[in-house]
Amino acid sequence: MRPHELPRGEDPQRQQLVSELMSTLAAAYLPLVQELRRPQNCIVPLWACAKAGHWGDGLAAELLARLAAGDGELLRRASGKELSNLWWSLSSGVPDLHRLEAEVGSRLEGGAAGGPPPAGRGFSSQAVSNMLWGLAKLRRADSSLLRPLAEAAGRAAEHFTAQNLSNSLWALATLGCSSAEYAPAVRFLLGAAQRLLQQQPAAFNAQNLSNSLWALATLGCSGAEYGPAVRALIGAAQRLLETRPAEFTGQALANILLALAVMQQPSGSEALIEAAAAECRRRGFLGFTPQNISNAAWALAKMPRSGPELYAQWYQGWYEAAVQAAMQPGFVGAAEAQAWSNLLYVLGLVRHRPPVALLTLASENAKLRTEANTQVCINCLWSLANLYGRLEVLDGGSRAAVEALVGLLAGRLRELLLRKADGERPTAVQGLCNGLWALAVMGADTLSLRGLARSLLEEVARRWEAEGRGGFEVEALRQLWQLGRSVDAVVELEGGRRLAVEMDGPTHFLANCEHRRTKDGSTQLRDRQLERVFGRGNVLSVPYWEWNALRGGKAAQEEYLCRLLLRGLGGSGNGTGFHSAAGSEATTEASAPRATLGSPASALPAGPTPVDADPGGAASDPRQLQRRRS
C-alpha cells in the first residue's frame, strides 16, 4: 500500500485495516445495543459485518439477541427490505434462524411478492431474490421457507433483473429443487430470462450466464419447453465471449462447459463450446483452480461426438495444455483427491497418455494417499490401465512412475476395503469389477500387489451372498466373468489351425501424437485373452493406418491379408500388422466410467464424480466367440 492512496481490494494490509476499524466501532457500539429501538439500527451494523467479513468482538451476537428479544418485537417491525438485508447478511454467519424464518414466512403469506406491500410489510422482487439466495448460501434445503420463496420468485419473475433471475435459478439448483413442485417457478424464471434477453440482449453479464446455464443443467431442464430459454442463454453467452472474453473467469468458462456437457450439447451450442474451450487453452488455464481445470476437462471429454477419430488432434492439444497446467504448483499444491481423479479419468477416456512427470507428482500427493475414497482410487486405476496396459512391457522410467502411483492407490484402496465402519460398503459393485479389470489389464505383478485383488474378490463375494443376482448389473457380471468376447474374423486353415483377425481402428490406440500407434490397455487385454483361446501367435491385428494406406481396391486388400496370414504362419511376431501378446496396444467397445453432476459448492459446481462402467470383456471358450457385426 502506497502512502496517501486507498488500499486496493487485494492488498493484504486492507483486511488488517478493516478489521482494526471494525473492532474500534464494535467497542463503541456494544454498550448501546440494549437501548436500540429501531430494527434498522440492528440490521445495518450486521450488514456491515457481513460486507467486511468481520464477526468477532461479540457485536453480531448482541445485535441478533436484541432483534430476537421480546418475542422478536423488532423483527416484526422490520420492513421487507430490512428483513431481506438481514437474511443476506446472515448468509455468511450462521446463527439460529428459526425466528427469522417464522417472521418471513408469515409475511409471505400476507401478500404477493412484487405487488403493493400490505401494511408496509411485503417483500420487493429484490428482497425475494436475496432471501432465496441466502437460503442457498446457508444450504437450508430443509427450510420451511424454500417452497414459499420459490413460488414468490416465480410470481415476481417479470420484475426481476438479470442478476435476480440468475441468483434465483442458482439458488434453486443449489438447493436441489428439481422435483415437480418447483417446476412452475423454474419455468416462470426461465420465461422471464428469455424475454429479458429479447428486449435487452446484453442484460446478463458473464457470471449471470454461466450460473444460469449451470443451474439449468443441475435442475435437469432438458425438455422441449425449456429449449427457447436455453438457446437464448447460449446465444447471449456466445456473443459476449466473442466480443469481451476477458469478462469470463476460469470458473465461468468451466461452468459453461460443464453445463453444456451435462445437457448433452444442446442444439446450437457447438460454437459456444468451441469458443469456451479455445479461451481456456488460449489462457493456458491461468487463474483456473484445480477444480476448474478438472471440470472443464471432464466436460469437453463428455460432449457427444461421432466419427472414426472421436478425440482428434485439436482435443489432444487442448488436453496437453490442461496437463501442463496441472503440473504447475497452483494445481499440485491445492488439488483435492477428487480433482486428481477426475483429471486422470478424463485422460484415460480420451486416450491421452500424459508425461511421466504428472504421474510422479500424483504419486507424491498426500491427499491421494490419505483422503482418496474408493471411487477415486478405482477411477485412477481404470485410467492407468487403459493408458499404460501391461506394465511389464513399459520402458524403465514409465514403468517406475506408473508402478509408484498404482502402489499408492492399491494401498489406499485395500485400506478402505478392510474398514468395516458400521457395515459401510466402500463402492458399487460396478466399481469393484472395474478395479479387478484394471488389475487384470496391468498384468500379473499388479494382480498380486498388496493383496488388493483378493480383497476386491472377497468384497464381490460378500455382495453376492448378501444381494444375489439382483445386486449385479449385466455389465458387471460380463466384466467379472469375462464372457462374450467377439472377434472380427476367424480363419481356419488346413489341419484345423485357427487364426483370429482383428481390424483395429483409431479407438483401439492411444490418441496423442507420439503414442498414436500404441494400443490401449483394453485392446492389450483383448489380445491376451484371445491368445488363451486360439494359442500364442494365432491372433493377428490389422492397424487402421496400414489398411487406409492401401491403394488398388479389393485386390490390394486381399494381397495385404494374404501377407498378414503368411506372416502369422511364419511366427513373425514383429511384422507389420502382426500382433504379439507381449506388445503394447488396446481399447474397448464397452463404455468407460459414466459421470453425474455433483452437488454444487457455492457458485462453483463440485467436481463431477465418474460412475464406474464396463471397460471390456473377454471370451474363455471358443464356442462363445462371435463374428462382430460392422
Side-chain angles (χ1 to χ4, degrees), residues 174-412:
T174 300
L175 295 168
C177 300
S178 57
S179 57
E181 60 187 332
Y182 294 101
V186 173
R187 284 196 294 269
F188 285 137
L189 290 166
L190 282 178
Q194 180 190 352
R195 288 185 286 276
L196 181 58
L197 283 169
Q198 289 170 344
Q199 298 162 8
Q200 304 176 45
F204 284 69
N205 64 28
Q207 190 66 42
N208 298 156
L209 291 166
S210 66
N211 280 0
S212 297
L213 286 170
W214 173 84
L216 297 188
T218 306
L219 291 168
C221 298
S222 57
E225 67 271 27
Y226 301 110
V230 171
R231 288 190 290 273
L233 288 166
I234 287 172
Q238 181 186 337
R239 290 190 297 272
L240 186 59
L241 186 55
E242 289 173 350
T243 56
R244 299 198 297 277
E247 292 190 13
F248 289 82
T249 63
Q251 176 183 320
L253 292 169
N255 284 2
I256 287 173
L257 289 171
L258 184 64
L260 297 177
V262 172
M263 289 192 285
Q264 289 294 286
Q265 194 171 319
S267 174
S269 64
E270 294 82 0
L272 176 57
I273 292 168
E274 290 183 11
E279 182 64 17
C280 293
R281 185 179 180 185
R282 187 190 68 79
R283 298 183 189 182
F285 298 90
L286 187 64
F288 285 57
T289 67
Q291 189 176 21
N292 296 157
I293 294 173
S294 64
N295 279 358
W298 179 90
L300 197 60
K302 299 299 287 187
M303 298 290 181
R305 52 177 49 81
S306 59
E309 195 166 357
L310 300 182
Y311 300 99
Q313 289 311 295
W314 185 90
Y315 287 97
Q316 299 305 320
W318 192 95
Y319 283 105
E320 183 178 353
V323 167
Q324 290 301 317
M327 292 194 293
Q328 302 309 309
F331 187 102
V332 175
E336 301 293 334
Q338 186 67 57
W340 279 105
S341 172
N342 287 352
L343 179 63
L344 289 172
Y345 156 70
V346 165
L347 295 178
L349 186 63
V350 302
R351 306 187 316 282
H352 183 104
R353 183 184 283 185
V356 169
L358 181 73
L359 305 187
T360 301
L361 290 170
S363 64
E364 295 171 351
N365 185 265
K367 291 182 179 179
L368 267 180
R369 186 182 304 276
T370 60
E371 299 177 13
N373 58 29
T374 51
Q375 181 91 39
V376 164
C377 294
I378 286 172
N379 283 344
C380 289
L381 289 171
W382 178 88
S383 179
L384 293 172
N386 213 36
L387 291 172
Y388 294 93
R390 195 171 184 175
L391 301 191
E392 299 105 89
V393 301
L394 296 174
D395 63 71
S398 297
R399 180 173 179 178
V402 177
E403 286 182 338
L405 183 52
V406 169
L408 178 150
L409 295 166
R412 175 62 177 169

Side-chain angles (χ1 to χ4, degrees), residues 514-527:
E514 64 271 34
H515 302 295
R516 293 186 71 188
R517 295 192 176 185
T518 301
K519 286 184 177 176
D520 67 12
S522 182
T523 305
Q524 291 184 46
L525 180 61
R526 176 206 70 186
D527 291 339

Side-chain angles (χ1 to χ4, degrees), residues 104-148:
V104 171
S106 67
R107 303 285 183 89
L108 287 172
E109 292 175 1
R121 294 192 174 186
F123 295 107
S124 67
S125 300
Q126 181 72 49
V128 170
S129 174
N130 284 356
M131 288 190 290
L132 193 55
W133 180 87
L135 269 186
K137 288 286 286 183
L138 293 169
R139 295 298 190 267
R140 294 296 297 272
D142 59 345
S143 172
S144 60
L145 280 181
L146 179 53
R147 187 171 176 182

